[in-house]
Amino acid sequence: MFSPNNNNYSRRRFLSQSGLGLLAFAGMPGLLNAMEGMQAMPKLPPRQANPNFKADVEIELFCKPASVPIFVGQQTRVLQYSARVLNGPKDAVTEIPGSYLGPLIHLQKGQKVRIHLHNGLSETTVTHWHGLHVPAEMDGHPLYAIDPGEKLVYEFEVLNRASMNIYHPHPHEITAKQVYHGLAGALFVHDEEEAALGLPSGAYEIPIVIQDRLFDDQNQLVYVRHMHERMMGFYGDRILVNGRAEFQIDVESRAYRLRILNGSTARIYKLAWDDGTHITVIGVDGGLLEKPETKPYMMLAPGERLDVWADFSGRAEGSQLVMRSLPFSGVLPSMGMMMHRGSLPVGSDYPVFTVKVTRKVSDSPKLPNTLSSFRRYQIADTANPNKPVPIGISEAHMAMLLNGRPYAYNDVQDFERIPVNSIQLMEIFHAHGGGHGQPAAGDGQAAGQQGGMGMGMGMGMGMGMGMGMGMGMGMGMGMGMGMGMGGMRHGGMGGGMGGGMGMGGGMMMSMAHPIHMHGQSFQIVSRSIANGMEHDYATVSDGFIDSGLKDTVLVMPGESVRLIKPFQDFKGLFMYHCHNLEHEDMGMMRDFLVV
Ligand code: C2O
Ligand code: CU
Ligand code: CU
């Protein structure tokens, strides 16, 4: 039977997508070895329902092409999730009328859920429940992707606390394209702790899914046209909220709960109210904070969520408040900024949505002082307090990797094997460029791979700058050589990663990556920023909340993040990857194997 995921196909595809010729590969022994070891992703028979699993709620989920009105004139062709409840509470699924987004799914903690996914696309797909702690076979790993016309059955119990999560496709190398064309939706978990707080609900709790999209003059979506749109991530020039342009909410003068999700493939936002009112945050990715926090602005990277308390009481009828994205710098390399010349640059100042007070009311709920409690892990609770699991970000002009390797099925490294029911200390860092450097892995092999990449990176840079941009060849070569040397020296040592690598070229390549881990939420222990990188960092650093439970963390250039993550209950493959979905599809993804 034909399998689209066979070894040669993946390899050829990687080569053509990355634009790398054999010449460049000759300088990348590490990468070449990784690719030799690459295994074909087997095509499994789609999972069937287990008659012994007694579902409390059973949902049919379809994904298929559709047309929706977004602008006046022609409708926009999209890919869309739709759903219906087969059994259980009818309000488990609610539509967002007129939106290409999938319906809102509402689950209760402790519920047993069965979901029948029908693939009505013309290519493979699989759905992942981003944020949910489910068995590996239920997690939407690309290994379980189904062909057009096939059906896949998921069965799991909701173990998560109350939280806003995301369901979206996760097929190998085509995740970004499917999400971009519309396949995504919000999935809420509710629990008793949340219910007891009496937070604004019903009409006073508003989902806000922020996405950027690019349209042609026929109102049709435009996606990646050049390699650099993958390298930097793809950026649209229209901001859509819940699938609508120029989104406006009409509110009463009272408190609301805004459930915000960045569903963009690459765009990072710096959200702030336009009148200077600070943002009151009551929750992040993994649910409610212990107590509310107030911030002048909040950074929100792809895959991240924010639970915001927005109190409009005291505001006059007819008054308006705009949620903007404010200026910031550093998330793209300066070369990337030049290539990304859209009319809505990342880090520029633009409106995201508008709130209009249309009715004056006298009553409003009060913000609770304390919201929730959860176990806070200490480093002493971890199995590896002195040897964090490394997540090394490597950037090259033509490849984005983690721990020096592109995604490959069945390519688990020693440090990617995690004992089940352990709690792990982990460290995300820039293996090149940032100049920070932590001998985190103590893994000579991984470091060797990264050294190999350093060489490839240098060559890639030189060619890209010379040909693609028509810029001074001297500059391109200079940068390439700087990085290449760094890589060689580093590889030669075969020791700790990244130490003292803060060379000029490396810094220029560095960009921000929202790193996401499947499975249970993690807790951020500390962040540190490399010398010389503080200037850009200061434009974003007041916009992080590290006191909550997270599954996606924005890692700025030159930044290292230490975190603690439990790997409880389930064995098997759990991905970690960049949630810049273009990066993910380029291979900036790896598996942990929980054993
Ligand atoms: Cu939201 Cu592995 O993804
Ligand atoms: Cu996920
Ligand atoms: Cu990335």
Side-chain angles (χ1 to χ4, degrees), residues 129-198:
W129 325 101
H130 176 134
L132 292 193
H133 174 43
V134 295
E137 321 80 81
M138 306 299 162
D139 191 47
H141 191 285
L143 179 58
Y144 301 98
I146 52 171
D147 284 333
E150 287 185 330
K151 183 183 95 159
L152 175 63
V153 182
Y154 297 84
E155 291 164 330
F156 56 82
E157 183 181 338
V158 180
L159 300 176
N160 290 63
R161 59 204 292 268
S163 49
M164 181 189 205
N165 302 284
I166 319 165
Y167 61 99
H168 66 74
H170 222 301
H172 190 42
E173 295 176 326
I174 48 177
T175 292
K177 188 183 77 172
Q178 292 188 3
V179 172
Y180 182 81
H181 286 91
L183 291 173
L187 185 158
F188 293 92
V189 174
H190 305 281
D191 68 8
E192 283 167 13
E193 186 184 49
E194 176 194 49
L197 291 170

Side-chain angles (χ1 to χ4, degrees), residues 318-511:
S319 62
Q320 290 197 354
L321 196 61
V322 178
M323 180 69 87
R324 299 188 71 84
S325 186
L326 298 184
F328 57 95
S329 57
V331 305
L332 289 180
S334 40
M335 182 184 69
M337 283 306 289
M338 287 189 284
M339 288 175 164
H340 160 58
R341 325 164 257 250
S343 55
L344 196 65
V346 180
S348 61
D349 184 357
Y350 52 86
V352 177
F353 64 90
T354 302
V355 177
K356 188 170 182 194
V357 180
T358 52
R359 206 162 84 90
K360 195 82 188 149
V361 295
S362 48
D363 234 28
S364 177
K366 293 280 157 293
L367 175 64
N369 293 325
T370 60
L371 297 164
S372 75
S373 61
F374 50 86
R375 179 170 173 200
R376 288 215 67 89
Y377 292 119
Q378 307 299 321
I379 291 188
D381 297 324
T382 64
N384 57 335
N386 303 313
K387 195 172 182 286
V389 176
I391 300 182
I393 295 170
S394 7
E395 296 155 320
H397 183 49
M398 296 295 175
M400 293 281 170
L401 309 173
L402 287 178
N403 286 322
R405 296 166 85 93
Y407 184 78
Y409 175 65
N410 221 352
D411 184 39
V412 176
Q413 311 294 290
D414 273 352
F415 57 85
E416 292 170 325
R417 298 172 75 88
I418 310 273
V420 69
N421 293 327
S422 67
I423 298 170
Q424 298 285 328
L425 179 64
M426 316 186 82
E427 178 160 17
I428 311 173
F429 58 96
H430 292 263
H432 287 281
H436 176 71
Q438 286 278 348
D443 184 288
Q445 200 192 346
Q449 300 285 6
Q450 302 203 348
M453 267 315 294
M455 295 169 66
M457 189 160 78
M459 299 174 71
M461 278 284 291
M463 294 194 303
M465 296 287 290
M467 294 166 15
M469 291 291 296
M471 288 188 42
M473 198 61 193
M475 185 181 167
M477 290 304 290
M479 289 169 61
M481 284 186 54
M483 296 168 67
M485 281 172 55
M488 242 182 302
R489 188 175 336 134
H490 193 50
M493 291 194 309
M497 298 183 187
M501 288 279 298
M503 300 174 72
M507 295 244 199
M508 280 196 69
M509 268 313 286
S510 235
M511 59 183 289

